[in-house]
Amino acid sequence: NMANIRDVADSAGVSVATVSRTLQQPERVSLKTRNRVMAAVDAVGYKPNLMAVKFRSGKTHNLVVLVPTVANVFFARVISGMQEAAAELGYSILLANTLGNPDTEAQYAKMVSTSQADGLIQLRAQIPLDDSLMNDNGLLPMVNACEVIDCGKYPVVTLDNRAAAKAMTRHLIEFGHTRIAMIKGPDSSPLTQDRLLGYKDALREANLPFNENLLFPGDFTLQAGYKAGADIAKIDEKLRPTAVFCENDETAIGTIQAFKQVGMRVPDDISVAGFDDIAFSAFCDPPLTTIAQPAEEFGRTAVTLLVDVLNGKTRKAPKVIMPFELITRQSTGPVKTM
């Protein structure tokens, strides 16, 4: 005979309503109750029809996450933070590796408007919707984290990228560097725009000229860092930058490799700094000076905010600014005296 919800209630010593609530809206019961009910579900062998439960409650407890690329180590850490927070709140994560393709993003965003998922987290600075996807009050439940558009309509989780880049540039200036190159991310990214502003802020405060020729294009990949590094290595030593600030760690690791191949020593001949503090940065040779971002916390905060939105707990779109830390390691040092 099939165990029913009444058997679970009796076994757990709670009401049928409590069992039902635990299965449908686990975030509304205490962890103690949840554990007791779930233990009783196992003990009596009750198999709730989750599709029926979801159909009745109109909630899927699925969250769609749009990631520009899962190959990026920083995003991988953000996702693991999301997964943890979602599990604690009784939600599942559906991950879309969008490669920044707007059609892919819109397709996954549609899952929310068609009730296949409850809400959306977008990690790229792009609102992934057209007007047909808006709900009754005009907004889809969405949180924008990491690379953000700050339009005031959606909750945002971000870093003060401008302040962080300024701190790193100042660190290089304090070592006596006056010709500091920057290897950028994609021009369309607000991260790149803000980090460039921070770099300029630091130069301005130190009365150093900003030189357009010291900016090198990149796209946050090892390959782009390697290519820019090779270009910098070709510059005549009298004009060559003495320090390079890369807009992320993967870029910096590629750059260091390019310098090594032509026999330039880091930091004796040239200093290199990164951004993100991915795990590899402490283990590359030399270990990388970088900006640490609390990646997992980014993910946890984004999920928590989204669940607040879904539970009607946020009235206006909050903006959360995560802290950064400057980590000094061996890849930066005093300017080389000729």
Side-chain angles (χ1 to χ4, degrees):
N1 70 358
M2 293 282 289
N4 64 31
I5 197 161
R6 158 70 50 210
D7 303 331
V8 177
D10 292 345
S11 169
V14 299
S15 69
V16 169
T18 299
V19 175
S20 170
R21 187 177 303 125
T22 304
L23 296 174
Q24 292 183 41
Q25 296 176 292
E27 70 279 2
R28 287 185 54 192
V29 299
S30 73
L31 194 57
K32 200 167 115 194
T33 304
R34 200 187 311 170
N35 290 340
R36 209 155 98 198
V37 170
M38 293 326 276
V41 165
D42 289 343
V44 304
Y46 175 61
K47 299 210 171 14
N49 177 345
L50 289 177
M51 282 317 291
V53 165
K54 287 177 178 182
F55 188 72
R56 277 202 306 278
S57 70
K59 289 268 185 280
T60 64
H61 288 104
N62 291 334
L63 306 176
V64 178
V65 178
L66 307 180
V67 191
T69 167
V70 291
N72 181 303
V73 185
F74 177 73
F75 285 136
R77 287 177 52 204
V78 173
I79 293 162
S80 76
M82 286 184 182
Q83 201 100 41
E84 268 177 34
E88 285 166 24
L89 293 166
Y91 282 82
S92 303
I93 295 275
L94 305 175
L95 204 57
N97 186 31
T98 64
L99 304 177
N101 178 326
D103 294 337
T104 310
E105 290 176 332
Q107 189 189 335
Y108 278 96
K110 244 191 199 102
M111 293 183 73
V112 182
S113 54
T114 56
S115 303
Q116 298 169 67
D118 300 346
L120 183 72
I121 297 174
Q122 164 66 305
L123 300 184
R124 190 169 85 94
Q126 177 67 37
I127 305 294
L129 318 162
D130 57 43
D131 300 334
S132 67
L133 296 183
M134 298 306 185
N135 64 2
D136 310 334
N137 62 1
L139 291 181
L140 221 56
M142 181 174 91
V143 169
N144 188 195
C146 298
E147 297 189 19
V148 302
I149 291 184
D150 193 6
C151 64
K153 287 184 186 169
Y154 298 97
V156 156
V157 188
T158 184
L159 191 86
D160 191 338
N161 283 284
R162 183 170 183 169
K166 180 181 176 181
M168 181 58 84
T169 309
R170 188 188 292 149
H171 164 76
L172 295 169
I173 291 169
E174 281 165 3
F175 270 135
H177 296 281
T178 56
R179 289 198 309 278
I180 302 167
M182 179 177 241
I183 304 177
K184 300 195 302 180
D187 285 330
S188 60
S189 166
L191 301 182
T192 299
Q193 295 156 17
D194 288 347
R195 288 172 195 176
L196 180 58
L197 288 171
Y199 163 83
K200 289 178 173 175
D201 291 342
L203 293 176
R204 197 170 45 244
E205 279 186 16
N207 293 318
L208 292 172
F210 165 67
N211 178 353
E212 194 79 45
N213 297 330
L214 292 178
L215 299 183
F216 293 81
D219 60 5
F220 294 143
T221 62
L222 295 158
Q223 292 79 358
Y226 181 84
K227 186 188 176 309
D231 290 343
I232 290 169
K234 290 191 192 101
I235 300 171
D236 181 81
E237 200 174 348
K238 287 190 273 305
L239 302 170
R240 189 192 295 148
T242 58
V244 183
F245 178 11
C246 300
E247 285 200 13
N248 79 339
D249 290 346
E250 290 190 42
T251 303
I253 291 167
T255 301
I256 289 173
Q257 201 51 40
F259 291 157
K260 282 187 172 176
Q261 282 194 354
V262 295
M264 285 167 66
R265 292 160 311 162
V266 178
D268 307 352
D269 297 321
I270 193 161
S271 283
V272 178
F275 202 113
D276 285 346
D277 195 29
I278 61 174
F280 297 124
S281 61
F283 295 92
C284 71
D285 179 32
L288 193 60
T289 293
T290 186
I291 297 281
Q293 306 199 56
E296 289 81 6
E297 274 306 304
F298 260 88
R300 294 185 66 90
T301 305
V303 165
T304 313
L305 277 177
L306 182 54
V307 171
D308 280 350
V309 169
L310 295 174
N311 292 332
K313 285 192 192 148
T314 49
R315 268 175 300 288
K316 61 173 186 47
K319 181 176 184 179
V320 180
I321 298 181
M322 304 303 273
F324 67 86
E325 191 186 348
L326 189 124
I327 311 279
T328 43
R329 296 195 185 101
Q330 288 76 56
S331 67
T332 51
V335 65
K336 181 182 176 185
T337 46
M338 290 301 181

